[in-house]
Amino acid sequence: MPEDFSKAINGITISLHQGDITRENAEAIVNAANSSLMGGGGVDGAIHRAAGPALKEECKQIKAMQGPCAPGNAVITGGGNLKAQYVIHTVRPIWRGGVTNENQILSNAYRNSLQLAVENQIASVAFPSISTGAYGYPLAEAAAVAMAAVKAFIIQIDQGAALKQVRFVLFDDFTYQAYKEALAKL
Ligand code: ADP
């Protein structure tokens, strides 16, 4: 397993870790959700299984109040049985060849997740590799969008913000290496 790799920008550390996000002890983990917020396959299913039924219940209540969540937007719930105190659910884009604004939606997903973290005084947040599994986003492009979005957010962050750590928890070595390349170029 590769060593963790990190870079600090504006007092905030961006770090990469290979592993399972459901075991992460960041204050908040981000879920690659869909508009229904009702769970699905991949990392979404894994997070819902590990968190237990409280997560779906909270998502149901949010959906009842707000309706379906639009791609690129994010909502926050408690963490249920997870170590993480919060789950930030962001609706990710489906890759359709790059002609349906996928990069903007993916970038918004990262930005809006970080914004929710800041609004909730969260110090550490962990992301999976959003959209690069079943949703088919090309890995190198998604990693570059992720890093650019995180950097753009943290260079303008209020100095009083609690946020100090942005982590990427990447399931496999191939994904880890793609994010390492993107972070190295940042
Ligand atoms: P998407 O539909 O957004 O592509 P997937 O869940 O299919 O979502 O895949 C997104 C990424 O999440 C992939 O790199 C996949 O390997 C990874 N992944 C799946 N399970 C986990 C997990 N428990 N922790 C971290 N990453 C995971």
Side-chain angles (χ1 to χ4, degrees):
M1 205 165 272
E3 291 293 307
D4 285 11
F5 180 72
S6 67
K7 209 174 230 189
I9 298 174
N10 200 20
I12 298 175
T13 305
I14 305 173
S15 63
L16 310 183
H17 174 73
Q18 193 182 330
D20 178 348
I21 201 163
T22 64
R23 304 166 74 97
E24 197 22 67
N25 59 11
E27 206 175 337
I29 66 168
V30 176
N31 183 20
N34 57 53
S35 295
S36 80
L37 302 176
M38 288 296 105
V43 70
D44 190 5
I47 289 173
H48 272 273
R49 275 193 303 279
L55 202 65
K56 197 174 255 178
E57 201 37 58
E58 241 188 291
C59 285
K60 228 186 229 172
Q61 284 169 18
I62 291 173
K63 205 179 145 202
M65 280 187 307
Q66 305 184 357
C69 190
N73 286 354
V75 300
I76 190 166
T77 64
N81 298 331
L82 295 166
K83 278 191 220 159
Q85 223 179 310
Y86 301 97
V87 177
I88 294 170
H89 308 256
T90 189
V91 179
R92 77 261 199 233
I94 300 172
W95 179 259
R96 299 186 198 279
V99 294
T100 54
N101 227 9
E102 293 94 323
N103 57 358
Q104 196 55 56
I105 297 168
L106 186 61
S107 183
N108 290 347
Y110 282 100
R111 193 198 59 231
N112 288 324
S113 297
L114 291 167
Q115 185 59 39
L116 269 182
V118 167
E119 284 168 15
N120 288 276
Q121 288 90 40
I122 288 167
S124 55
V125 57
F127 287 95
S129 176
I130 297 172
S131 285
T132 67
Y135 274 20
Y137 209 117
L139 184 56
E141 282 177 62
V145 168
M147 291 305 161
V150 171
K151 181 178 177 183
F153 186 85
I154 64 184
I155 57 174
Q156 56 78 54
I157 203 167
D158 190 281
Q159 288 303 309
L163 189 68
K164 293 294 168 240
Q165 279 191 48
V166 178
R167 276 191 120 188
F168 286 86
V169 180
L170 307 159
F171 215 36
D172 55 78
D173 189 53
F174 190 63
T175 304
Y176 180 92
Q177 294 304 335
Y179 279 73
K180 187 174 178 187
E181 229 169 86
L183 181 54
K185 278 192 205 146
L186 207 62

